[in-house]
Amino acid sequence: MRQRSVRPLVVPILLCALIAFAGTRTEASDGSEGSAGAGTSAQVAKLYEEASAASQRYEAGQREAAAQQARVQKLDQLLADERRQISVFHDDLGRIARAQYRSGGDVPLAAQMLLADSPEDLMRGQRAVWQADLAVNNAVAKSRRAERKLADDQSAAETTRRSLDAKAAQLASLKQGIDDKLKTAQGQLQGEADESVAAGKCRGAARLDQSGTPTTRAWVPPVEDYTLSAGFDSAGDHWAQRHTGQDFAVPIGTPVRVVGAGKVVKVSCGGAFGIEIVVSHPGGYYTQYAHLAAVLVDQGETVRAGQWIGQSGTSGNSTGPHVHFEVRLTPDFGSAVDPMPWLTERGAL
C-alpha cells in the first residue's frame, strides 16, 4: 500500500454523521467545532507522519536488502566457479603424476644415467622430468591460491548473509511497526467518525500544507494510487437504482485530489453520500467526491488541479473505504455521466 508522505503537518479530521440512504442531509458546519478534538487530530497527524517516515525507511531498507542479495548470489556463483576450477586442477595433478610415472619420473637420477643410451637422451629425459616437476609445482601452487581465495570468499559470503539476515529481521520489525501505526491511526480516524455521528454535527475544514504536491497537469485522477471497484451504471444492493459514479478503492485517510481547477460549490455530510464535496469546472461540468472521512476545503473556495480537498473514508451508504467519484451536468444528484471516458478524454487516466 503506497501512500503519499504527509509532512509534519496538522491533519485534523472532519467526520460526519452516517445517515440512512433515504435520510436527510446535514450541511457542513461553519467550523465552530473545528477546535474540538484538536488533541486527537494532532495525535492522528503524528501517527500518519511517523508511519510515512517509517515507510520511507522500510523502502530504503528493502532496496539495500535487494542489493545485498544480489551480491550474495554473485559470490555464490563465484564460489561454484572456483570449485569447478579446483576440481580441474586436481584432475591435472593426476594426469601429470601418471605421465611422470610412465616417463620414469620416479626413477633415481643415478639409475637414469646408467640406463641412458647417450648423454643427449639423459638430458632430454631430465628436461622432461624438470618440466613435469615444474608443472606439478605450478598446478599445486595455483590450486592452493584458489583454495585460499575460496575460503576468503566463503567467509565474505557468510558475513554478507549474516548481515542480510539481521537486516531482514529489522525490516520485519519495522514493517510490523508500520502496520500497527497505520491500524492505530485508521482506528482513531473511524473513532472520530463515530463520535461525529453521535453528535450529528460536522467539524470545519482541516488544512494541510500542500507545497510538496504541485502538478503541471490540467487534469488528474481523484486519488494517486487506487483500485477501481464499482463502476458507472452497475447494479448493486446498496443503490436505489444504478451506480452513478466510479468507485476508487483506497485506504482510510488517503488524500483525495480535485481532478481539475474549479470552485467548491458544496460541502455537506449525511445521507447516502456521507461526507461529500462538489466542485464546478469550466465548461459546465461538476465533479463529486463522496464517502469522505474529512474535508480540507470550504464551500466557495477556488481550487487548483491536483489540490487535496479531502481524505477518503467510508461515511454514508458505504461498505468499505473508497472514494465515490461522479461527473455531473449540474451540482445535484441525477445528472451524472460516465466519469471514466470523461477523465480519459482529458488525459487524467
Side-chain angles (χ1 to χ4, degrees):
M1 176 179 71
R2 187 168 71 91
Q3 290 186 326
R4 182 181 292 275
S5 299
V6 178
R7 297 178 181 273
L9 313 164
V10 176
V11 189
I13 300 168
L14 176 62
L15 299 169
C16 289
L18 292 140
I19 303 177
F21 181 79
T24 59
R25 292 191 179 280
T26 301
E27 292 304 316
S29 75
D30 58 4
S32 59
E33 294 192 9
S35 59
T40 303
S41 294
Q43 181 183 10
V44 172
K46 181 179 179 181
L47 287 169
Y48 271 117
E49 177 187 347
E50 290 178 356
S52 176
S55 179
Q56 292 177 8
R57 292 194 300 271
Y58 173 74
E59 292 174 359
Q62 286 287 79
R63 292 191 294 270
E64 182 181 356
Q68 284 185 328
Q69 183 61 39
R71 288 194 292 270
V72 169
Q73 292 174 346
K74 184 176 180 180
L75 285 172
D76 286 342
Q77 183 61 49
L78 179 60
L79 297 179
D81 292 342
E82 289 181 347
R83 290 191 182 100
R84 285 193 293 270
Q85 291 175 5
I86 289 175
S87 178
V88 170
F89 295 156
H90 285 297
D91 290 343
D92 289 343
L93 290 176
R95 285 194 297 271
I96 292 171
R98 289 191 296 272
Q100 279 188 287
Y101 179 79
R102 288 193 298 270
S103 64
D106 58 339
V107 179
L109 179 58
Q112 293 181 37
M113 293 177 65
L114 292 173
L115 296 174
D117 294 332
S118 66
E120 290 79 10
D121 290 340
L122 176 61
M123 294 303 296
R124 280 194 297 270
Q126 273 305 113
R127 280 196 297 270
V129 171
W130 291 336
Q131 289 171 355
D133 286 342
L134 181 60
V136 169
N137 291 335
N138 287 340
V140 169
K142 187 176 182 181
S143 179
R144 287 176 178 172
R145 287 196 299 271
E147 286 176 345
R148 286 194 296 270
K149 187 174 187 303
L150 174 61
D152 291 342
D153 287 344
Q154 285 176 325
S155 177
E158 289 303 319
T159 299
T160 302
R161 284 194 178 92
R162 287 193 295 270
S163 177
L164 183 60
D165 290 342
K167 177 64 70 174
Q170 292 172 359
L171 291 178
S173 176
L174 179 60
K175 188 177 187 306
Q176 185 62 53
I178 292 170
D179 293 340
D180 292 344
K181 288 179 184 296
L182 287 176
K183 289 177 182 178
T184 299
Q186 290 166 346
Q188 291 190 19
L189 185 67
Q190 189 58 53
E192 292 289 344
D194 295 340
E195 291 178 6
S196 292
V197 169
K201 187 173 181 61
C202 301
R203 297 191 175 112
R207 297 294 175 178
L208 297 179
D209 179 4
Q210 301 189 41
S211 59
T213 62
T215 180
T216 58
R217 299 172 59 186
W219 300 94
V220 297
V223 285
E224 186 172 358
D225 298 305
Y226 55 85
T227 298
L228 295 177
S229 50
F232 179 76
D233 202 35
S234 58
D237 296 335
H238 298 279
W239 311 305
Q241 298 175 348
R242 308 286 288 187
H243 194 229
T244 54
Q246 173 64 58
D247 288 348
F248 292 78
V250 289
I252 292 173
T254 300
V256 177
R257 310 183 295 185
V258 62
V259 297
K263 183 178 181 180
V264 179
V265 297
K266 179 189 286 187
V267 176
S268 65
C269 63
F273 289 120
I275 303 174
E276 65 166 321
I277 298 171
V278 178
V279 178
S280 67
H281 302 279
Y285 288 100
Y286 298 81
T287 55
Q288 180 213 28
Y289 313 79
H291 304 308
L292 303 176
V295 294
L296 310 177
V297 292
D298 291 315
Q299 188 166 311
E301 186 173 336
T302 299
V303 291
R304 67 182 187 279
Q307 179 178 335
W308 295 351
I309 59 174
Q311 290 174 284
S312 64
T314 182
S315 61
N317 184 30
S318 171
T319 59
H322 70 282
V323 177
H324 173 89
F325 175 73
E326 285 192 17
V327 175
R328 297 174 173 177
L329 301 178
T330 73
D332 303 314
F333 177 79
S335 61
V337 298
D338 191 343
M340 298 306 282
W342 190 88
L343 289 172
T344 301
E345 289 171 2
R346 287 158 178 77
L349 299 179

